[in-house]
């Protein structure tokens, strides 16, 4: 799966990754890796394996495709979040709003048939 790192702790080698399928976020820790992974920073475009354990998506074997691909993405996501409003007396399902399509961030790095387009 492809994704963009939203948050990372380089000291602990942990990261939270926004996945291309717009599903749940994936959590990366080095214990989930079979090889030495590169350090990940917010905004990096990565490809990784994903598993679900106890309803939590876990990323493993991350490969850095493009460093600092979308360094402003975490701030854009924060800025697009609507202001908190008081909860109504009766909770009703809220319609999805302000969904940002991850594919526009991937298009620049992914070429035809899923191959990576590297800068020349």
């Amino acid at each position: 799966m492809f994704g963009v790192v939203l948050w990372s702790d380089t000291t602990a080698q942990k990261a939270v990754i926004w996945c291309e399928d717009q599903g749940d976020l994936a959590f990366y820790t080095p214990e989930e890796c079979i090889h030495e992974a590169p350090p990940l920073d917010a905004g990096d475009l990565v490809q990784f394996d994903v598993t679900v354990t106890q309803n939590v998506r876990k990323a493993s074997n991350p490969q850095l495709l493009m460093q600092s691909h979308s360094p402003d993405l975490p701030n854009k996501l924060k800025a697009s979040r609507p202001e908190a409003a008081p909860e109504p007396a009766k909770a009703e399902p809220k319609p999805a709003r302000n969904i940002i399509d991850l594919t526009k961030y991937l298009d620049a790095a992914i070429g035809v048939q899923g191959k990576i387009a590297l800068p020349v």
Side-chain angles (χ1 to χ4, degrees), residues 4-7 16-19 22 25 43 70-83 97-102 104-105:
V4 176
V5 176
L6 293 179
W7 173 88
V16 176
I17 304 170
W18 187 23
C19 302
Q22 304 294 315
L25 298 174
S70 303
D72 58 337
L73 182 60
N75 290 330
K76 282 184 178 182
L77 290 171
K78 287 178 192 175
S80 70
R81 190 177 105 190
E83 293 297 319
R97 291 185 263 157
N98 297 330
I99 297 174
I100 298 174
D101 187 3
L102 180 59
K104 72 179 182 178
Y105 291 97

Side-chain angles (χ1 to χ4, degrees), residues 35-90:
H35 58 74
E36 188 171 329
L40 302 176
D41 290 314
D44 289 350
L45 177 64
V46 294
Q47 183 174 15
F48 56 95
D49 299 326
V50 67
T51 56
V52 178
T53 306
Q54 299 177 354
N55 294 327
V56 175
R57 271 187 168 182
K58 294 189 176 185
S60 60
N61 306 316
Q63 298 175 20
L64 182 61
L65 301 178
M66 187 177 292
Q67 190 172 14
S68 298
H69 178 268
S70 303
D72 58 337
L73 182 60
N75 290 330
K76 282 184 178 182
L77 290 171
K78 287 178 192 175
S80 70
R81 190 177 105 190
E83 293 297 319
E87 289 292 323
K90 182 179 179 184

